[in-house]
Amino acid sequence: MTGGRFIALEGGEGAGKSTQARLLANALTARGVDCVVTREPGGTPGAEAIRALLLGLDGEGWNPRAEALLFAAARSDHVERLIRPALAAGKWVICDRFVDSSRAYQGGAGGLSDADVRDLHRIGSGGLLPDLTLLFEIDPETARQRLAARDVDGADRIGGRDAAYHAGVAAAFARFAAEEPGRFARIDANGDPATVHALVLAALAKLAGEV
Ligand code: TMP
């Protein structure tokens, strides 16, 4: 086992990322890999507090720039207090969303430039990028059905945006994966959890030899 590895799971809502993060962590643990599962926005007490500010339905909401700054601030705390120390200790970090979510939601769909989102990430988190980003892609109608079953109390502030916004998110993610094929692995997330997990393990073969 060499040093730690940083794996991010990305994609729109209802793609099954959280389930796949857990299944991946279990599979790695079974192979003797020390891993940490975390999420964004969140992962530390400070970042979880910012998550409540961002996604809660109280208040009047945030303009796109304030929203991007809050995500970057949450990420900065998460990177400094949890992600970098875990990687330095040789652990694998499995992160449910990371900076590509800011690029897709606040950038592609939200109207900020990609350069601005990356600048915030450079200032906040030293520009840290995952070793591998798994992009979960799902048919919008399948996602809608899964979310209707999951979010019986309604969506959060960002998840509840209209279909055009979420189509913009999906298009931005697809563009990022095409631009950086070495960092991204595209996963067809339409299948059942076991089928999708098998695709994740196959994608991880990229990092094989270290698992
Ligand atoms: P989720 O992790 O439960 O899907 O909720 C997080 C929500 O926040 C989701 O709608 C995506 C959104 N989000 C952004 O808009 N930008 C970001 O940088 C991150 C991490 C999440």
Side-chain angles (χ1 to χ4, degrees):
M1 208 22 249
T2 56
R5 287 288 177 274
F6 182 17
I7 300 172
L9 289 77
E10 295 281 13
E13 356 273 310
K17 293 183 302 301
S18 312
T19 303
Q20 292 301 324
R22 276 195 306 278
L23 293 174
L24 175 57
N26 291 345
L28 289 171
T29 303
R31 289 164 169 75
V33 175
D34 195 358
C35 57
V36 178
V37 182
T38 187
R39 70 166 180 181
E40 290 211 341
T44 60
E48 291 288 339
I50 296 175
R51 179 185 181 95
L53 291 176
L54 277 162
L55 301 182
L57 297 175
D58 294 342
E60 53 190 344
W62 306 99
N63 71 60
R65 295 164 308 286
E67 188 175 287
L69 285 160
L70 285 167
F71 276 112
R75 183 163 301 123
S76 177
D77 193 63
H78 189 208
V79 166
E80 174 150 326
R81 293 181 193 270
L82 190 149
I83 296 177
R84 285 199 196 275
L87 293 173
K91 298 180 184 175
W92 285 47
V93 175
I94 316 292
C95 194
D96 187 345
R97 298 192 180 281
F98 195 63
V99 68
D100 294 303
S101 277
S102 285
R103 297 176 65 212
Y105 284 80
Q106 284 66 53
L112 267 75
S113 76
D114 196 48
D116 281 351
V117 176
R118 285 172 175 272
D119 274 350
L120 295 182
H121 187 51
R122 177 181 51 75
I123 294 164
S125 302
L128 178 70
L129 289 177
D131 296 299
L132 179 64
T133 302
L134 300 165
L135 175 59
F136 293 82
E137 296 183 299
I138 187 171
D139 164 56
E141 178 51 25
T142 308
R144 198 193 58 71
Q145 288 171 9
R146 286 187 191 174
L147 289 171
R150 186 188 80 180
D151 296 344
V152 281
D153 297 331
D156 61 46
R157 189 186 288 286
I158 295 178
R161 289 180 183 162
D162 65 18
Y165 182 87
H166 290 290
V169 167
F173 275 132
R175 200 167 59 242
F176 304 156
E179 285 167 3
E180 280 187 85
R183 178 163 73 84
F184 281 85
R186 299 175 81 154
I187 306 287
D188 177 351
N190 289 294
D192 59 62
T195 304
V196 178
H197 178 56
L199 296 175
V200 168
L201 292 183
L204 266 174
K206 285 188 178 185
L207 301 183
E210 300 166 32
V211 183

